[in-house]
């Protein structure tokens, strides 16, 4: 048993547990894993966005309303990074080689599934989530 401090960390741990669980078929893993990635990235982005908005004095209801208007991962990450869901995150993604594959997991792979059931993909997820969380400390 371990203690996680954030929802994003719990989703990462769930993804690790899923990959390592020999009792779960690869077919299930291929469909479920991208959803966990998306939940992890969006949880980290939400934490950052709400923290930044609170420091700016924005009412929680306003932040929640803005967040809820955007249902896709990239606009939510843009909210976390820039406070603007319409901004491109392309530069941020390309700055580190592990971010783009992780974001791809959060997009089409959520609907199509994935064949990448490796711990390397989990490491990319962890690093992407860590990068997002650090954005909230700046």
């Amino acid at each position: 048993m371990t203690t996680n401090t954030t929802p994003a960390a719990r989703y990462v741990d769930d993804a690790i547990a899923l990959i390592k669980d020999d009792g779960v078929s690869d077919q299930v893993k291929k469909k479920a894993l991208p959803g966990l990635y998306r939940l992890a990235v969006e949880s980290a982005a939400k934490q950052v966005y709400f923290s930044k908005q609170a420091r700016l004095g924005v009412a929680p209801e306003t932040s929640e309303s803005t967040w809820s208007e955007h249902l896709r991962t990239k606009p939510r990450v843009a909210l976390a990074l820039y406070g603007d869901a319409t901004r491109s995150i392309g530069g941020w993604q390309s700055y580190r080689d592990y971010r783009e594959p992780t974001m791809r997991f959060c997009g089409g792979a959520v609907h199509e599934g994935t064949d990448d059931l490796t711990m390397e993909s989990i490491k990319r997820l962890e690093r992407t989530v860590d990068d997002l969380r650090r954005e909230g400390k700046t």
Side-chain angles (χ1 to χ4, degrees):
M1 184 183 289
T2 61
T3 301
N4 289 316
T5 57
T6 68
R10 281 195 303 272
Y11 290 124
V12 171
D13 282 352
D14 287 348
I16 293 168
L18 180 64
I19 283 181
K20 290 182 174 183
D21 191 337
D22 293 333
V24 177
S25 73
D26 282 353
Q27 187 65 23
V28 170
K29 291 176 185 181
K30 289 175 182 185
K31 292 291 187 181
L33 194 62
L36 291 171
Y37 274 55
R38 184 175 188 170
L39 289 168
V41 168
E42 288 188 7
S43 292
K46 186 174 185 178
Q47 178 183 354
V48 169
Y49 174 68
F50 277 74
S51 294
K52 285 182 175 182
Q53 294 298 292
R55 284 195 303 267
L56 293 171
V58 176
E61 299 82 17
T62 302
S63 298
E64 185 64 48
S65 176
T66 301
W67 182 263
S68 296
E69 289 173 12
H70 304 285
L71 303 177
R72 300 169 104 18
T73 305
K74 285 184 179 182
R76 287 181 164 183
V77 170
L79 281 172
L81 296 173
Y82 312 116
D84 179 357
T86 65
R87 291 233 356 226
S88 169
I89 65 166
W92 178 83
Q93 277 184 184
S94 65
Y95 189 69
R96 301 276 185 231
D97 64 352
Y98 49 85
R99 292 176 181 165
E100 194 278 325
T102 299
M103 294 305 295
R104 197 173 42 231
F105 245 80
C106 298
V110 169
H111 306 288
E112 301 159 9
T114 184
D115 289 325
D116 189 355
L117 304 176
T118 65
M119 285 305 294
E120 183 57 38
S121 71
I122 294 289
K123 288 178 183 157
R124 290 192 300 264
L125 172 64
E126 287 177 306
R127 294 173 77 189
T128 301
V129 166
D130 287 346
D131 288 354
L132 273 171
R133 293 188 60 227
R134 272 193 290 281
E135 291 288 335
K137 296 178 177 157
T138 57

